[in-house]
Amino acid sequence: MTPLNDPDDLGGTGLTLTPEPAAPGALTLRLTGALDHESADALVREVARRLAERPAPRLLRLDCAGLAACDSLGLAALLMIGRRTGAAACALRLDRRPPHLDRLLTVTGTHRHLVGPEEEPGPA
């Protein structure tokens, strides 16, 4: 198990994964670097490993603020993580998404699937 706050460079792929403090039953991982053809498989494997730990998290939060880039295989990795979290009865949240990630999710029609419906505006 990776100690809390100890970054894992995912095998030198250019993507660093850092566990962050989280509420009980939650797992927060900060992504830094590029989620692309070199790092996508490693991220999916690492998330799957962490979902298999006991007790299993009920919420996985991926902090995307440090995500420098995300290509089509990076998007495929996020979709695979979404499937795996769903199968594990674990909710997925993509927190602090940079504009380039939101654009990719919107253009590909995956925003609603990975992020969920936008909140309704409150009363004026």
Side-chain angles (χ1 to χ4, degrees), residues 37-82:
H37 65 283
E38 291 189 22
S39 60
D41 287 342
L43 177 63
V44 172
R45 280 192 306 272
E46 182 60 19
V47 167
R49 185 185 72 75
R50 289 171 184 266
L51 289 174
E53 292 177 352
R54 297 292 172 239
R58 295 286 155 228
L59 172 62
L60 171 62
R61 301 185 87 98
L62 296 180
D63 180 341
C64 300
L67 200 59
C70 183
D71 70 7
S72 60
L73 288 178
L75 176 60
L78 293 175
L79 291 167
M80 178 60 71
I81 289 168

Side-chain angles (χ1 to χ4, degrees), residues 33-34 37 60 62 74 77 85 93-94 112-113 115:
H37 65 283
L60 171 62
L62 296 180
T85 54
R93 299 289 179 265
L94 301 181
R112 186 175 183 98
H113 178 72
V115 176

Side-chain angles (χ1 to χ4, degrees), residues 9-123:
D9 72 356
L10 296 181
T13 63
L15 182 68
T16 302
L17 189 66
T18 307
E20 296 289 331
L27 172 61
T28 299
L29 302 172
R30 182 170 26 103
L31 305 176
T32 306
L35 178 52
D36 60 14
H37 65 283
E38 291 189 22
S39 60
D41 287 342
L43 177 63
V44 172
R45 280 192 306 272
E46 182 60 19
V47 167
R49 185 185 72 75
R50 289 171 184 266
L51 289 174
E53 292 177 352
R54 297 292 172 239
R58 295 286 155 228
L59 172 62
L60 171 62
R61 301 185 87 98
L62 296 180
D63 180 341
C64 300
L67 200 59
C70 183
D71 70 7
S72 60
L73 288 178
L75 176 60
L78 293 175
L79 291 167
M80 178 60 71
I81 289 168
R83 281 192 223 91
R84 289 182 183 234
T85 54
C90 177
L92 173 64
R93 299 289 179 265
L94 301 181
D95 295 334
R96 300 183 343 135
R97 297 177 312 277
H100 67 85
L101 180 57
D102 269 337
R103 275 192 308 277
L104 177 65
L105 297 176
T106 300
V107 166
T108 59
T110 58
H111 192 276
R112 186 175 183 98
H113 178 72
L114 285 171
V115 176
E118 294 299 318
E119 291 183 16
E120 294 294 323

